[in-house]
Amino acid sequence: MRKQESLTEHLDWPLFGALLTMLLMGLATVYSVAYNEEAPSLFDFSEKYGRQLFWILFSLFLGLLVFLIDSDIYRKLAIPIYASTLVLLVVVLFMPAVHGAHAWLGVGSFGVQPAEFAKISTSLLLAKYISGLTVKQQTTGTVLTASSILLIPMALILLQPDAGTFVVFTSFLFVMYREGLTFDPILLKFVNAIPGVRYKETWVGSHFIPILFALVVLSVVTLLLDSVQFNISLFGLDLELSGSSGVIFGLLLIYVASWLIMQRFSTRRERSRMMVVLTLGLLIGSLLSFIVDKGFDMLKTHQKDRIELFLGLREDPNGDDYNRNRAMAAVGSGGFLGKGYREASVSSVRSNHVPESETDFIFCPFAEEWGFVGVVVLFILYFFVLFRIIVIAERQRASFNRIYAYCVAMILFYHFAINIGMNIGFAPVIGIPLPFFSYGGSSMMSFSVMLFILLKLDAQRKDVLR
Amino acid sequence: MNLDARRNVIISFFILVIGIYLFKLFYMQVIDDTWTLRAQEIAEKRKEIFPPRGVIFDRNGKKIVTNQTYYNLMMVEDSIVDLDTAAFAKLIGWTRQEVRNRFKEIVDGEGSYYNKISRKRTPNYQKIRAYPFLKELTLEEMSKIAPHLANFPGFYEEATSARNYPYKSAANILGYLSEVYREEIDEDRFYKPGNNIGRAGIERFYEKELRGVKGIKYIVTSALNNAIESYADGKYDTIARQAAPLKMGMDVVLQTYGEELMQKKKGCIVAIEPSSGEILSMVSAPSYDPNLLVGKRNISANYPKLARDPNLPLFPRPLQAEYPPGSIFKLVQSLIGMQEGVINANTGFPCDKSLVGCHNHPSARNIAEAIQYSCNPYYYMAVRRIIQQGVKKNNFADAEYGLNKWYKYIRSFGLGDVFDTDVSGQRPGLIPNPAFYDKWYGHHTWAFSTIRSISIGQGEVKLTPLQMANIVAIIANKGWYYTPHFVRAIGSSGSLPQFRKKRWTMINYRHFDAVIEGMRRVVNEDGGTGKQARMDNIIVCGKTGTVQNPHGEDHSVFFAFAPMKNPKIAIAVFVENAGWGGSWAAPIAQLMIEKYLKRKISDKDKETRMKEAQIAFINAD
């Protein structure tokens, strides 16, 4: 029997305070953007701000419930929670489509999105599974199991379809990376099949996820530069370089720079190993860039159009790119100090220039009203939350808690990065909310519960003896 | 493997992304103003507010040009819900097919623009934009439609302003407005497509003075293009200001009366106040109601009719009909002769019909009599003295010398060129100079005998009625004139500076008395050709003329000013194909003078006779 403690004794006040600040900022922004002169009261529940206030209060109530429950339950019940979420994800596919997606479970406006809660249950199960592993135990089976914990809900979410949440699920890959989950067992099967090759571990396998990420970024950069022509005058030679050659040139520069740095700072043994990595990286990167460049040229026009639009290479202000163009206009017109609270002319709900400006595009009115100064404040707040979660993660005794905390950090970061990227032309428009800001019950509840579970786990961290 | 180091990878990743985002946001929000401009384009509409045009008063403060509210029936396709075409067509009095056609017409017409680069009409129709479905409805028409518009969402009324001419006269003076051309918009950013611009007359000449200052209202609009609120509480708005009124020298009562007198006739009347050069009246007959050319609907309906009318109502006769001046030129020749010293007030010449034809009258013993009798041989001889002064030995060279002198005198009367004035559409007329004849006949191949017809105002000489009326004003003033003009004041500032400059002829004032005496006799002595212009109590000085017309009956012409002392009005009357000057032009001139000076007509019979006469006027069908 533990001593009965006060609920808030081990609460991480900095994180909790940052959460409350965000909720208030979000509510203020929703109030501004959806302001209705005829119902100016914040407590008018027929208006969006009234409902948002309700959702915030309800989420805090859920948080209280989470704090009343012993945190051990999450580890213990991770599998049933995950399983029931999968059932809901299947059931939701048979629900009538809203805006072309079978994402909503429930009646009328009071529906929930199982995909929101799938993030929590997947985090819990992943934490439970990985915390039971040790690095040396890793086999093909463990890698595949860990991957399928992600891939099953991802597949179901893709069927809805909900591209946004699907992309968010890839954030778990970084958690796996942090926990040292290596893809070596799979990779070694292929590599060691080559006669005479016998590796115990590969650099690529253990850093598989960042490498994958880097390659995706490299491909996108290649495409972004595809339309650009570089004219370089070199020793009297006029060279015209296409996008991919620019990327390859850039890689070469990095390669040379790294080589020079290594000559100066590293030991001989490290050097030879890193040279292999760098050279391979250069070759693979260049090859990929070349293939992407040529492959893109071979695509049909309409496919190219879609990709160019997706990447924001083409301006089509009244067509497919309407939302992003309007959103960027709203954000960009904010200036340094902003237009002032409730002065957003582009992104208010009434003017309706930016669709969904109270939900997915809530950053627009915020940035328009508070300008760059407001944006910096928001970014600092977000970074503080993320950093604080990492700090919390690293102080956990139980690896379950740590892994779960990383899951929360990565999910919040993904939402933050994609949502704001959408508003500034860096990310395609896939509908995902800005946590604690965007209007909407499902996301508010799921993010709050997710964070309160973390706070509860942290509050009870000392109970865990393992 | 040190996995703890990997948290730094993740934190670095966070910092990297947040850093890149902040960099981009700083660029978007603070450095680059592309998006600010784009936001303005999207959400802030500059609504330009055009003030009503300036009004115009006549010389007695009567409002002759005002503005009237018209209505456009606007349409926004996106807001139209289940349009009952049949009911709508019935409401506006159209057929269903016409309604359907109008929708198509809007898409192809108002909904497109001329692309300068591709040189094609480019579609730009937007369902969320408002287009006028019906234009320029009167209050009466709109009041029938407006109460039912609630049944037709997507349609609404919008007020616009258009000209109104309460006196229904002076169309030829005032001009009209019509929609601006693309080139005019490119040239002057004041205008927007669909705006009106002064197309003729006063409306054109004083366009910049009348259009006023447009206001700009910045409003925040929604994606559906509805105005939501004024931007920044109207801090940047500017207020539209109506132009100051124009005050014309015209007497609208006289103008309207003149048009009535000239109805069913062709011709013109020009009346000038000699002391100021202000044009009191300028009738171009047949005239038309200026309200016929208000608004696009009216213009497209009425302009072709007016243009096709065989009586040429759109032809500005006072400015563009160039006639040989005839007898009035004798007045000018007398003055030049006296100034040159080749004749004097008491010079007499026998009426020698062998030189040039004349009617039966006693020989003129002095200039007054020569004018009274309008003696042709007298002027043949007098002008020969001007042209052939015997200065040069060579007869041809002598004629060239004389004509040059004569030309300079004539030019000092403002003849041979257009006046620099607010009367637009003038023709210069023609005053021949030596160069003209050199070109015609060859250098030193012509002498007075060749060009003698100019002595009695025939032959090559051509003047417009405005120029002839100005000659009368010069005689009334005894030697000077102000440029004839319409507008005496723009707001509180006076008329244009060129109207305030007194212009002197090369004739000394002493020489005018003989001419004026002759003109007095024309009207007031028994046997004078202009006795039809005689008035009780007021001495009218006049001169009849008959302009020979090779195409038919001669034109009846009369010039006069009155009263003899301190003249208030100088007038020229032309009645086409009406025979000699005394018959129609003189009585009309008399009625005009009486109307202007006394406002009452003593001889009602004469007035009725003049009004009802139909001369050389082609009835429609």
Side-chain angles (χ1 to χ4, degrees), chain B residues 259-268 284-288 305-306 308-314 317 553 555 575-578 584 610-621:
Chain B
E259 290 185 14
E260 283 171 19
L261 291 174
M262 291 296 286
Q263 67 191 358
K264 290 183 280 180
K265 297 169 207 56
K266 293 191 279 184
C268 59
S284 181
S287 55
Y288 58 93
K305 270 190 221 161
L306 290 169
R308 275 200 307 268
D309 190 327
N311 297 307
L312 307 178
L314 294 177
R317 289 177 164 83
E553 191 78 19
H555 304 319
V575 186
E576 289 182 11
N577 312 106
W584 295 101
M610 291 300 130
K611 278 188 184 175
E612 289 180 355
Q614 176 170 346
I615 302 163
F617 185 82
I618 304 154
N619 283 321
D621 306 314

Side-chain angles (χ1 to χ4, degrees), chain A residues 231-247:
Chain A
N231 288 309
I232 295 169
S233 214
L234 202 69
F235 307 121
L237 276 173
D238 286 322
L239 295 176
E240 218 176 65
L241 297 177
S242 72
S244 68
S245 31
V247 174

Side-chain angles (χ1 to χ4, degrees), chain A residues 177-178 180 206 317 325-326 328-329 331-333 335 350-353 367 372 375 379 394 406 413 417 421 424, chain B residues 3-4 6-7 13-15 17 20-22 24-26 28-29 35-36 38-39 42-43 221-223 228-229:
Chain A
Y177 170 69
R178 163 64 186 87
S206 50
N325 188 283
R326 294 287 155 109
M328 288 176 78
V331 172
S333 68
R350 277 187 309 158
S351 70
N352 200 25
H353 290 296
F372 185 68
V375 168
F379 277 31
E394 295 296 342
Y406 268 104
F413 177 71
I424 61 175
Chain B
L3 291 179
D4 284 347
R6 290 191 176 182
R7 78 172 157 199
F13 183 48
F14 291 174
I15 292 172
V17 170
I20 290 171
Y21 277 25
L22 277 179
K24 166 86 174 180
L25 276 159
F26 185 74
M28 272 173 76
Q29 293 191 299
W35 294 108
T36 309
R38 177 85 184 110
I42 291 168
T221 60
S222 76
I228 295 180
E229 61 198 359

Side-chain angles (χ1 to χ4, degrees), chain B residues 201-240:
Chain B
I202 293 296
E203 298 277 22
R204 178 163 96 177
F205 190 88
Y206 291 99
E207 170 66 22
K208 287 206 167 71
E209 284 77 13
L210 286 169
R211 67 190 188 183
V213 179
K214 68 181 170 183
I216 294 167
K217 202 169 154 54
Y218 293 91
I219 44 173
V220 179
T221 60
S222 76
L224 294 177
N225 233 8
N226 302 319
I228 295 180
E229 61 198 359
S230 56
Y231 177 73
D233 295 328
K235 198 160 59 177
Y236 306 107
D237 295 359
T238 55
I239 291 165

Side-chain angles (χ1 to χ4, degrees), chain B residues 513-567:
Chain B
D513 290 333
V515 171
I516 291 170
E517 172 59 18
M519 290 175 75
R520 188 193 65 78
R521 292 184 187 184
V522 167
V523 178
N524 297 284
E525 296 282 303
D526 289 336
T529 50
K531 64 172 187 294
Q532 287 270 22
R534 196 179 301 172
M535 284 172 71
D536 302 336
N537 307 329
I538 294 171
I539 301 171
V540 176
C541 301
K543 178 79 196 81
T544 53
T546 305
V547 173
Q548 290 178 359
N549 175 15
H551 309 294
E553 191 78 19
D554 290 347
H555 304 319
S556 172
V557 186
F558 189 74
F559 311 96
F561 66 88
M564 186 172 166
K565 293 228 164 59
N566 196 10

Side-chain angles (χ1 to χ4, degrees), chain A residues 2 5 10 70-76 131 395-402 453-454 456-466:
Chain A
R2 287 194 306 272
E5 292 164 338
H10 296 290
D70 188 276
S71 64
D72 216 25
I73 193 175
Y74 303 114
R75 201 175 53 81
K76 283 179 181 156
S131 64
R395 75 184 178 199
Q396 302 301 315
R397 296 178 190 175
S399 51
F400 173 83
N401 292 9
R402 186 186 65 238
I453 290 175
L454 174 65
K456 178 65 180 173
L457 288 171
D458 180 57
Q460 281 185 279
R461 66 182 184 271
K462 291 185 176 136
D463 301 347
V464 183
L465 296 171
R466 276 187 294 151

